[in-house]
Amino acid sequence: MRSAAPTTSDLLHGTLDALVLKTLAGGPRHGYGIARFLEDATRGVLSIEEGSLYPSLYRMERKDLVDAEWTTSESGRRVKLYRLTPTGRARLRAEMAAWQQFSVAISRVLLAPA
Amino acid sequence: MLWKLRRRCWELWHGEQLERDAEEELALHLELAAADRVSAGLDAAEARRRARLELGNPDAARDALREGRAGFWVESVGKDAILALRALRSRPAFAAVCTLTVALGVGASTALFAVVDAVVLKPLPLPDPSALVRIYDVNPSKGVERSGVTTGNLADWRRLAPRYRGIAGHYTMGRTLTVGQDSEVVLTAQVTEDFFPLLGVEAALGRTFTSEEARAALYDNAAAPVGPDPVVVLSHDYWQRRFGADPTLVGRTLVLERRPARVVGVMPASFAMPAPDVQLYMPWGFSGDEPRDQHYVSALARLAPGASLLEAEAELRGVANALAREHPRTNEGWTVNVVPLQQDLVGDSGRTLFVLLGAVSLLLLVACANVALLSLARGLERGHEASVRLAIGATQGRLLRQFLMEPLLVSCAGGALGALLAVVGLALLKHFPAGLPRIHEVALDPRALVFAAAASLAAALVSGLPAAWRRTRAQPVSELSGTPTRVAGAGERHRIRDALVIAEVAMAVVLLAGASLLVRSYQRLQAVEPGFDPRGVLVAPIFLDMERYGHDGRSRTYYAGLIERLTALPGVVSAGGATALPASPLGPDFERPVWPEESASDERLRRPAWVRMVTTGYFRTLGMRIEAGRAFDGRDSPDGARTVILSHSLARRLWPDGGALGRRLVVDYSTAGTYPYDVVGVVNDVRFGGPRSEPRYEIYLPHAQRPYLILNVAVRTSEDPRRLAPAVRQVLRELDPGKPAHGIHSLEDLLGATYSRDRHAMLVLSAFACVASVLALLGIHGVLAHRVRERTREIGIRVAIGAERGHVLRWIAGYGLRLMLVGVAVGGALAATSARVVSGLLFGVSPADPAAAALVLLALPLVGLVISLHPAWRATRIDAAVVLRTG
Amino acid sequence: MAAEKLELLILKTLALGPRHGYGIAQRIEQVSGGVFRVTLGSLYPALQRLERNGLIDAAWKASENNRRARYYRITPAGKRRLVAEQADWERVSAAVMRVLKAT
C-alpha cells in the first residue's frame, strides 16, 4: 500500500546513507535533528522514518563512516550525537558521484522517446 | 488481493509448464545476446562466453523465478502458519475451546450429511438405478391404494408392455433353516427368474439361479416348495454371520423347512434388495394357471431404454384395463401405480432428514459465532499488534491473510477431530438404526469427507472473518498511545459483537421452536389410543411348514397346545395368536370384499376388509375391548357354524343402526367362492400401523375354523415381558425343536418402532436446540462480562459520583436483555417464515402451536436474564476507589 | 540496482511498445548509456513480479530468428502505475539532488 508521500523505506539503502552523510557534513547532529534537517531540505517531499534512519546510522557507525557519542543537549537530556569521520567524508563523495550517475541514467530511460 | 492469490495458485498449478517456458526464454535471451556479439565481430564461442559472463548465470535466474513462485507458499504462508501456531499455543485454553466447538459442529453436520447422502441423495448401488421402478396394484373403487400384484397378471404384463425391459416379482416370508442341531427362522425371498438379471447384479460367490431351476420351483398354497429340492442363494451378511464367511459353503446342502436345500451362491455385500434383512433367496417359477386375485407379490421392473416413467405407467395401465375386460371377475377395477424404486424405498424419510440437516447447519453457525466472539474479545486485547505490523510495511491484504491463519488452523484441527467424531457417531447410528431405509449404506465416504472439509472451511471463515477484519482496520503505529486497551473504532467493534450474539440467539430460537414443536407432536403421538394395550405383551411370530402341519388340522392342534402351555407359564395372564398382529410386520395380511348378507345388491355396502385369523384368548391378550357380543371360544370349532367378529367401524358402516350382532356377513374369496359368516361380536378399532395410521375395516375369523400355518403368538404377562422370552423359547423347543420363533419382541417395542422416526427426529433436534441455546447463553454471558471489563473505569466513576448499585445492575442486565429480545424477535420471525418446512413432520400440532411458542419466546429471554445477572452482579462489586487509583 | 527501479524502467520501456525480454534489456542498457547492465537474474524475476501484479501481460509469438519468444506488453494498470511512479521518482530525485548539491 503506498502512502501519500514517499518515505525513506522507498529509497535505496545507499541513497539514504548518502543523504545522512551529507547532512552530517554540515556538522554533527543527533538522529532527530538529521530527520528534521532532511525534511526541511527536501521541503517535505521525503519524510524520514525512524525505522530506516537508525538502522542506517547503525550500519554506518559499524563501517566507521560516522562516529557517535553521548552528550547532554541544551534541554538537559541525553542524546547520541553523530559526526562524520574522514572515511565517511570520502564515502560521501563516492556516493554523490554514484547517485549522480544513477539518477541521470534513470532519467534518460524515463525521458527517452521511442 | 484476491486476484493475486488466484494468480499464485495458478502459478503453483502450472509450475512445471512455467519452468519449461522460463528455460526456453532464458535460452533465447542468451542466444540473442551471443548473436549480437557475433555481429559485433566476436567468434561464436567467445560471443557465447561473454554473453553468459555479462548477463549472469541462467541457473541463478531460474532459481530466482522458482523461488518467486514457491517462495510465497513456503515463506509467506508457512511463516503465517508458524506465527499462528505460536499464538494459539500461547493461549491453549482458547485454542482448545475453539477447536472443540468447531469439532462438534463439523462432526455433527458431517455425520448427518453422510446419512442424508446415503439415504436420499446417492443413487441405489445398482446398474442404471434411475430405470428401476416399483409396481403396485391399486383399486380405487374398492379403496385399495397400494397392494401387491398377482402372479397371474405378471406373465401378461411382461408380454404386453414393451416399455418395460423386464418385470420381476418377489415375496418374503420366514422359513426355518436348520444347520446341524440349530434351527432358526430366516427371512427368505422367493424371486422370479428375472429378478437378479433385472437388477443387474451377479453373485459374489457361486451363481444365481438358472432358468431351469426357476421354472421348476413351484410352490403350493402355503408357499412350500413342491417339486425338486430347492436351491438357495445366501445374502452376504447372513453368510458372514451364520457361516463365518466360509468359502466352501457353496455346494453344501442345508435343511430348509425340513427339506434339503443346496447352496448355489452368495450375493455381494452391497446387495440389499428387496430389503437388507433378507437372508436367503429361493427361485420362483409360475405354473400355467396362476391366480389373478391374490395380491401378495411385490413387483419390481426395469424401464426399457428411452421409456419415461409416465409413458410406462400409462402403458401398463392400458394393459391392466385390457386384462380387466378379459377377466372381469378377478381383474375388474384393478389398475397400477408405478413409482421410482429409490423414491419408494426412501419414502418420506427424506423430508425429516433434510430438516435435521438444516438444523445442524444452524448449530454449526452458532458454534462458529461463539468462536468468532471469543476471537473478537481476544483480538481486541492484541489490537496494537496489527498497528505495529502495518507500520513495518504489511499491506492490509497481507494482514488479513495472517489473521485468518489462526482460525484456519483451528478449523483444520477441529475439522479433523470432527471427522473422527462423525465416524464414531455413524458407527453408533448403525447400532440404533432408527427405522431409516438404506442405513446400511451409510459410511464416511469421500463425499462426506469433502463435506467435512467444506464445513471446516466455512467454519474458519465465519468464525475468523469478524475478528480478522476488525484487527486489520487498526491504525498505523504513529497513532499509538500508551495504554493498549483502546484501539480505534470502538463503535464498530460493538456492532459486530452484538450482531453475532443476536444472530446466535435467533438461530437458537429457531431450533428451539422446531424442537418444541416436535416434542409436542411426539406427545400427541404417544397419547393416541392404539386400540390395544401393548404393556406387558410379548410377540413371537411362528412359521409352521406344510409338510408336517399342513394336514389333518395339525397346525390347529399345535397352536392350541402352544397357547395352552404358554398360558400355564408363571406370570402369564393370557395368550393368543393372530395371523396379522398390530405393529408386527410379519404374517399374511390381505383384504377381501365383504358385505351384509341381507344387502347383497347394495354396492355402497360392499367394502374391502382386512382378514385376520385369531385364536381364542387373542383379544384378551391384546387388551382389546369387546363392544358387543363375545370373543371366540370353544363354540367356534371346526364343526360349528362359521363365525366372524367385526371391527367397530366396519360394523357401523355396514349396519349403521347398530344391529350387526346376529346378522350374517358375506366374504368374497374370489375364485375360492363366497361364504356367509355369523357375526358374533364387535371389537374396538385398532391402529394397525401405529399411531400415525388410521383404523381400517377388519374382520376376525376363528383360527380353529381356518387354521393358518403362520401365526403371531402373543403372551400377556403381569411382569416385564422381556424376562419371559427364554421361557417362551423353551416351550417352543419342547413342542417342536425345529420350529423356533423368528425374533421375540415386546409389543411395546414394536409399537414404539412404528414411530421411531418421529422419536429420533425429536431427540436429535432437541439435542441441537439445547446445545445451541447453551452456546447462545454463553455468548451473552461472555459479551456482558467483556463489556463490564471494558467499562470498568466508567462504572467505577459512576459509582464514585453516586450512582446506585441497583442502577449499575439494571444497566448491564438490561443490555443483555435487550440483546436477547432482539435475538428472540429475529428468531421468532425466522421460525414463523420457515414453519412450513417443519409442518410436514408434525402430528396433531400446527406450527403456530401456542404452547411451543410460549416456551421459546418466554423461556429463553428469562433464562438469558438470569444469566445476565452474573456479570451484572460482578459489575456492582467494582470498587470505585481501586479503579480510580489504578487508572 | 534496486528491484523497484528496474520495474519502473521496464514499464517505461514497454510503454513505448511490446518487447521480449532480451529487447527490454537491450533498450535499458542502450538508453542508460551502459550504466545499467541488466542481468538474467534481475530481469526475469522483475518481469515475473510485474506480470503477477497485473501491470504487464505476456504472450508467445514468433521472434526475429523465427524462434518463438515471450513478448511482454504493458497493461492499462501498468500505465497508471508508470505515471504514478515516474512522478514519484521525479519528486524524490529532485529532492535528493537538492540536498546533495547544497553546500
Side-chain angles (χ1 to χ4, degrees), chain B residues 377-442:
Chain B
R378 182 155 163 265
L380 292 169
E381 297 158 20
R382 299 171 50 196
H384 58 289
E385 180 188 328
S387 313
V388 173
R389 290 206 203 169
L390 277 171
I392 300 180
T395 64
Q396 269 192 350
R398 183 86 213 283
L399 269 191
L400 196 64
R401 214 170 57 220
Q402 281 171 351
F403 291 144
L404 275 179
M405 188 59 69
E406 258 188 56
L408 204 65
L409 286 179
V410 165
S411 297
C412 280
L417 189 59
L420 276 174
L421 287 177
V423 169
V424 171
L426 289 177
L428 281 177
L429 182 68
K430 294 223 181 161
H431 277 281
F432 304 101
L436 281 172
R438 296 180 72 186
I439 204 75
H440 54 280
E441 294 183 41
V442 173

XYZ file of all heavy atoms in Angstrom, chain B residues 377-442:
484
model
N -13.031 -10.925 21.205
C -12.625 -10.458 22.523
C -11.119 -10.540 22.664
O -10.463 -9.632 23.151
C -13.309 -11.300 23.597
N -10.572 -11.650 22.180
C -9.138 -11.835 22.321
C -8.383 -10.893 21.396
O -7.354 -10.340 21.770
C -8.801 -13.281 21.972
C -7.353 -13.562 22.137
C -7.144 -15.039 22.388
N -5.757 -15.336 22.142
C -5.305 -15.783 20.981
N -6.134 -15.993 20.000
N -4.028 -16.014 20.819
N -8.926 -10.696 20.206
C -8.237 -9.855 19.232
C -8.134 -8.420 19.696
O -7.163 -7.728 19.425
N -9.156 -7.997 20.397
C -9.136 -6.612 20.843
C -8.007 -6.375 21.834
O -7.442 -5.296 21.916
C -10.475 -6.261 21.487
C -11.609 -6.246 20.491
C -12.942 -6.175 21.189
C -11.448 -5.097 19.542
N -7.681 -7.416 22.586
C -6.582 -7.235 23.526
C -5.250 -7.171 22.812
O -4.276 -6.696 23.359
C -6.570 -8.401 24.525
C -7.828 -8.454 25.377
C -8.039 -9.856 25.944
O -7.064 -10.610 25.983
O -9.163 -10.168 26.323
N -5.222 -7.696 21.595
C -3.964 -7.672 20.863
C -4.020 -6.695 19.710
O -3.326 -6.844 18.730
C -3.667 -9.072 20.335
C -3.514 -10.086 21.439
C -3.436 -11.476 20.873
N -2.453 -11.539 19.802
C -2.391 -12.524 18.930
N -3.266 -13.508 18.994
N -1.475 -12.544 17.988
N -4.882 -5.718 19.832
C -5.108 -4.832 18.704
C -3.872 -4.104 18.240
O -3.663 -3.922 17.052
N -3.024 -3.723 19.209
C -1.891 -2.899 18.808
C -0.888 -3.692 17.991
O -0.056 -3.122 17.301
C -1.200 -2.293 20.019
C -0.733 -3.335 20.981
N -1.578 -4.087 21.761
C 0.506 -3.768 21.271
C -0.879 -4.918 22.487
N 0.386 -4.760 22.211
N -0.979 -5.012 18.074
C -0.038 -5.819 17.284
C -0.191 -5.515 15.807
O 0.785 -5.415 15.066
C -0.327 -7.287 17.566
C 0.575 -8.221 16.806
C 0.118 -9.658 16.983
O -0.418 -9.954 18.073
O 0.295 -10.445 16.058
N -1.448 -5.358 15.389
C -1.682 -5.063 13.982
C -1.086 -3.718 13.609
O -0.539 -3.548 12.525
C -3.178 -5.078 13.698
N -1.212 -2.774 14.503
C -0.706 -1.440 14.206
C 0.789 -1.489 13.938
O 1.295 -0.862 13.024
C -0.978 -0.511 15.379
O -2.310 -0.660 15.796
N 1.510 -2.239 14.752
C 2.956 -2.321 14.567
C 3.271 -2.941 13.216
O 4.123 -2.461 12.476
C 3.591 -3.141 15.705
C 5.057 -3.363 15.431
C 3.400 -2.408 17.024
N 2.543 -4.020 12.901
C 2.839 -4.697 11.635
C 2.568 -3.796 10.451
O 3.288 -3.814 9.463
C 1.983 -5.950 11.524
C 2.414 -7.012 12.490
C 2.044 -8.369 11.980
N 1.950 -9.311 13.076
C 1.451 -10.515 12.958
N 0.969 -10.910 11.821
N 1.413 -11.318 13.986
N 1.479 -3.017 10.555
C 1.157 -2.112 9.448
C 2.283 -1.108 9.253
O 2.627 -0.756 8.133
C -0.153 -1.372 9.733
C -1.425 -2.131 9.379
C -2.633 -1.399 9.896
C -1.522 -2.304 7.872
N 2.852 -0.652 10.354
C 3.912 0.355 10.251
C 5.130 -0.229 9.561
O 5.810 0.445 8.806
C 4.279 0.867 11.639
N 5.430 -1.469 9.814
C 6.617 -2.061 9.222
C 6.409 -2.277 7.723
O 7.334 -2.509 6.986
C 6.953 -3.395 9.913
C 7.217 -3.142 11.404
C 8.176 -4.023 9.314
C 7.540 -4.382 12.155
N 5.214 -2.230 7.277
C 5.044 -2.269 5.827
C 4.084 -3.332 5.311
O 3.965 -3.492 4.116
N 3.420 -4.036 6.212
C 2.479 -5.030 5.705
C 1.288 -4.341 5.062
O 0.879 -3.273 5.488
C 2.015 -5.914 6.851
N 0.744 -4.946 4.033
C -0.484 -4.396 3.449
C -1.675 -4.951 4.220
O -1.558 -5.942 4.927
C -0.640 -4.810 1.984
O -0.781 -6.239 1.964
C 0.547 -4.391 1.165
N -2.812 -4.316 4.040
C -3.981 -4.826 4.738
C -4.341 -6.230 4.280
O -4.801 -7.056 5.038
C -5.165 -3.884 4.523
C -5.226 -2.837 5.600
C -6.531 -2.080 5.599
O -7.317 -2.218 4.672
N -6.748 -1.300 6.617
N -4.113 -6.463 2.991
C -4.397 -7.799 2.473
C -3.530 -8.847 3.137
O -3.995 -9.905 3.548
N -2.263 -8.512 3.280
C -1.324 -9.437 3.909
C -1.747 -9.710 5.342
O -1.722 -10.823 5.834
C 0.054 -8.781 3.863
C 1.137 -9.615 4.394
C 1.699 -10.549 3.298
N 2.116 -11.800 3.910
C 3.223 -11.954 4.604
N 4.047 -10.966 4.765
N 3.496 -13.108 5.164
N -2.127 -8.638 6.023
C -2.550 -8.770 7.414
C -3.760 -9.677 7.524
O -3.831 -10.540 8.385
C -2.895 -7.395 7.992
C -1.774 -6.633 8.682
C -2.345 -5.452 9.401
C -1.032 -7.522 9.652
N -4.726 -9.449 6.630
C -5.937 -10.256 6.674
C -5.567 -11.729 6.542
O -6.068 -12.587 7.255
C -6.885 -9.840 5.552
C -8.318 -10.329 5.701
C -8.952 -9.717 6.925
C -9.129 -9.997 4.471
N -4.639 -11.987 5.629
C -4.219 -13.365 5.427
C -3.598 -13.925 6.695
O -3.878 -15.042 7.093
C -3.204 -13.420 4.295
C -3.314 -14.693 3.488
C -2.491 -14.639 2.248
N -1.092 -14.380 2.509
C -0.347 -13.579 1.742
N -0.876 -12.968 0.717
N 0.923 -13.392 2.016
N -2.765 -13.116 7.334
C -2.121 -13.594 8.549
C -3.151 -13.873 9.637
O -3.085 -14.876 10.325
C -1.120 -12.553 9.070
C 0.184 -12.572 8.317
C 1.076 -11.415 8.693
O 0.658 -10.503 9.389
N 2.301 -11.444 8.221
N -4.087 -12.947 9.770
C -5.035 -13.111 10.863
C -6.068 -14.181 10.575
O -6.728 -14.660 11.475
C -5.719 -11.778 11.177
C -4.788 -10.773 11.787
C -4.899 -9.436 11.498
C -3.777 -11.176 12.645
C -4.037 -8.516 12.041
C -2.913 -10.266 13.197
C -3.032 -8.932 12.901
N -6.254 -14.541 9.330
C -7.159 -15.642 9.025
C -6.486 -16.990 9.243
O -7.145 -18.015 9.310
C -7.641 -15.566 7.578
C -8.845 -14.671 7.336
C -9.196 -14.676 5.869
C -10.036 -15.142 8.146
N -5.166 -16.962 9.363
C -4.449 -18.229 9.501
C -4.812 -18.919 10.801
O -4.961 -20.139 10.851
C -2.936 -17.957 9.437
C -2.094 -19.194 9.373
S -2.454 -20.224 7.960
C -1.845 -19.212 6.662
N -4.989 -18.138 11.855
C -5.325 -18.764 13.143
C -6.633 -19.533 13.064
O -6.663 -20.717 13.376
C -5.443 -17.683 14.226
C -4.238 -17.595 15.129
C -4.497 -16.651 16.288
O -5.486 -16.891 17.005
O -3.724 -15.703 16.434
N -7.737 -18.867 12.652
C -8.970 -19.647 12.564
C -8.866 -20.784 11.555
O -9.519 -21.815 11.715
C -10.027 -18.631 12.129
C -9.316 -17.392 11.818
C -7.960 -17.445 12.385
N -8.024 -20.604 10.541
C -7.874 -21.683 9.572
C -7.238 -22.901 10.237
O -7.671 -24.033 10.041
C -6.998 -21.207 8.412
C -7.199 -21.960 7.102
C -8.598 -21.719 6.584
C -6.181 -21.503 6.074
N -6.210 -22.669 11.053
C -5.570 -23.784 11.750
C -6.548 -24.440 12.717
O -6.643 -25.661 12.796
C -4.345 -23.295 12.517
C -3.115 -22.960 11.689
C -1.994 -22.479 12.580
C -2.662 -24.179 10.910
N -7.260 -23.581 13.476
C -8.241 -24.123 14.419
C -9.262 -24.976 13.683
O -9.624 -26.062 14.119
C -8.952 -22.976 15.173
C -10.205 -23.480 15.863
C -8.022 -22.356 16.188
N -9.695 -24.480 12.517
C -10.716 -25.228 11.780
C -10.158 -26.505 11.177
O -10.881 -27.497 11.073
C -11.310 -24.360 10.677
O -11.947 -23.261 11.258
N -8.895 -26.497 10.768
C -8.322 -27.744 10.256
C -8.306 -28.776 11.362
O -8.752 -29.914 11.192
C -6.895 -27.509 9.764
S -6.838 -26.791 8.135
N -7.778 -28.365 12.535
C -7.732 -29.306 13.647
C -9.141 -29.714 14.042
O -9.431 -30.898 14.237
C -7.001 -28.672 14.834
N -10.029 -28.717 14.160
C -11.404 -29.006 14.533
C -12.089 -29.899 13.516
O -12.834 -30.802 13.866
N -11.821 -29.642 12.246
C -12.442 -30.440 11.203
C -11.978 -31.879 11.242
O -12.777 -32.808 11.107
N -10.657 -32.065 11.438
C -10.146 -33.435 11.508
C -10.763 -34.164 12.698
O -11.230 -35.308 12.576
C -8.621 -33.405 11.632
N -10.774 -33.482 13.845
C -11.380 -34.091 15.024
C -12.866 -34.362 14.778
O -13.396 -35.401 15.177
C -11.212 -33.141 16.218
C -11.602 -33.700 17.590
C -10.783 -34.922 17.889
C -11.372 -32.645 18.665
N -13.513 -33.423 14.108
C -14.931 -33.576 13.807
C -15.190 -34.786 12.926
O -16.162 -35.514 13.119
N -14.300 -35.004 11.935
C -14.476 -36.174 11.071
C -14.394 -37.448 11.904
O -15.166 -38.392 11.708
C -13.420 -36.173 9.970
N -13.454 -37.481 12.849
C -13.351 -38.655 13.728
C -14.632 -38.849 14.533
O -15.159 -39.962 14.655
C -12.189 -38.470 14.705
C -10.814 -38.852 14.165
C -9.728 -38.490 15.154
C -10.764 -40.339 13.864
N -15.138 -37.715 15.085
C -16.386 -37.796 15.842
C -17.508 -38.322 14.958
O -18.336 -39.107 15.409
C -16.763 -36.412 16.380
C -15.932 -35.883 17.538
C -16.372 -34.489 17.894
C -16.063 -36.801 18.740
N -17.507 -37.883 13.692
C -18.553 -38.332 12.776
C -18.460 -39.849 12.579
O -19.483 -40.537 12.531
C -18.428 -37.613 11.438
N -17.239 -40.347 12.457
C -17.072 -41.797 12.277
C -17.682 -42.532 13.469
O -18.442 -43.499 13.312
C -15.583 -42.157 12.143
C -15.393 -43.650 12.239
C -15.020 -41.636 10.842
N -17.359 -42.048 14.675
C -17.902 -42.675 15.880
C -19.418 -42.593 15.873
O -20.120 -43.574 16.120
C -17.333 -41.985 17.141
C -18.065 -42.473 18.375
C -15.855 -42.260 17.261
N -19.925 -41.406 15.560
C -21.362 -41.195 15.544
C -22.061 -42.128 14.577
O -23.104 -42.714 14.883
N -21.484 -42.274 13.372
C -22.104 -43.140 12.374
C -22.078 -44.585 12.817
O -23.029 -45.344 12.595
C -21.406 -42.988 11.034
C -21.654 -41.654 10.332
C -20.865 -41.578 9.051
C -23.134 -41.488 10.049
N -20.982 -44.992 13.470
C -20.915 -46.374 13.953
C -22.020 -46.616 14.972
O -22.690 -47.646 14.954
C -19.540 -46.644 14.559
N -22.221 -45.625 15.855
C -23.292 -45.747 16.842
C -24.643 -45.832 16.155
O -25.507 -46.623 16.531
C -23.285 -44.540 17.781
C -22.251 -44.553 18.897
C -22.331 -43.262 19.686
C -22.484 -45.732 19.817
N -24.803 -45.008 15.115
C -26.075 -44.961 14.402
C -26.425 -46.324 13.830
O -27.577 -46.742 13.831
C -25.991 -43.921 13.284
C -27.274 -43.730 12.491
C -28.316 -43.094 13.365
C -27.005 -42.870 11.286
N -25.408 -47.022 13.350
C -25.695 -48.317 12.741
C -26.206 -49.308 13.772
O -26.878 -50.274 13.437
C -24.434 -48.874 12.073
C -23.998 -48.037 10.915
C -23.603 -48.902 9.738
C -23.136 -48.028 8.602
N -22.339 -48.734 7.625
N -25.886 -49.062 15.029
C -26.390 -49.955 16.063
C -27.814 -49.620 16.464
O -28.544 -50.467 16.959
C -25.477 -49.883 17.293
C -24.278 -50.764 17.167
N -24.338 -52.115 17.379
C -23.012 -50.494 16.809
C -23.127 -52.631 17.173
N -22.308 -51.682 16.823
N -28.203 -48.368 16.278
C -29.566 -47.968 16.598
C -30.195 -47.394 15.341
O -30.286 -46.201 15.175
C -29.560 -46.911 17.706
C -28.843 -47.362 18.940
C -27.547 -46.930 19.195
C -29.443 -48.206 19.831
C -26.864 -47.339 20.321
C -28.774 -48.630 20.971
C -27.490 -48.203 21.213
N -30.660 -48.268 14.444
C -30.979 -47.828 13.088
C -32.083 -46.794 12.981
O -32.200 -46.149 11.973
C -31.411 -49.116 12.387
C -30.903 -50.215 13.225
C -30.822 -49.709 14.620
N -32.903 -46.640 13.958
C -33.897 -45.560 13.913
C -34.832 -45.669 12.723
O -35.343 -44.674 12.254
C -33.197 -44.200 13.870
N -35.051 -46.854 12.225
C -36.067 -47.030 11.203
C -35.790 -46.328 9.894
O -36.709 -46.038 9.143
N -34.545 -46.053 9.592
C -34.244 -45.391 8.328
C -33.913 -46.430 7.268
O -33.227 -47.396 7.539
C -33.036 -44.462 8.491
C -33.303 -43.114 9.133
C -31.981 -42.427 9.400
C -34.169 -42.250 8.251
N -34.392 -46.194 6.045
C -34.022 -47.123 4.966
C -32.583 -46.892 4.534
O -32.024 -45.828 4.765
C -34.990 -46.728 3.846
C -35.323 -45.305 4.127
C -35.289 -45.139 5.612
N -32.010 -47.882 3.930
C -30.665 -47.780 3.349
C -29.612 -47.404 4.385
O -28.558 -46.890 4.037
C -30.635 -46.748 2.216
C -31.495 -47.128 1.053
C -31.434 -46.078 -0.030
N -30.144 -46.100 -0.721
C -29.786 -45.209 -1.627
N -30.587 -44.230 -1.947
N -28.609 -45.285 -2.214
N -29.878 -47.637 5.639
C -28.923 -47.204 6.654
C -27.625 -47.988 6.532
O -26.553 -47.537 6.941
C -29.525 -47.355 8.069
C -28.821 -46.410 9.021
C -29.405 -48.756 8.591
C -29.227 -44.999 8.856
N -27.714 -49.175 5.931
C -26.515 -49.989 5.806
C -25.529 -49.376 4.824
O -24.369 -49.759 4.779
C -26.885 -51.400 5.330
C -27.696 -51.376 4.072
N -29.037 -51.119 4.051
C -27.332 -51.544 2.783
C -29.472 -51.148 2.809
N -28.455 -51.399 2.014
N -26.014 -48.426 4.021
C -25.107 -47.821 3.041
C -24.365 -46.627 3.610
O -23.537 -46.029 2.942
C -25.903 -47.374 1.812
C -26.515 -48.513 1.026
C -27.227 -47.998 -0.218
O -26.691 -47.096 -0.869
O -28.323 -48.492 -0.499
N -24.688 -46.219 4.837
C -24.091 -45.010 5.382
C -22.634 -45.255 5.753
O -22.317 -46.207 6.447
C -24.860 -44.536 6.630
C -24.134 -43.386 7.284
C -26.262 -44.140 6.254
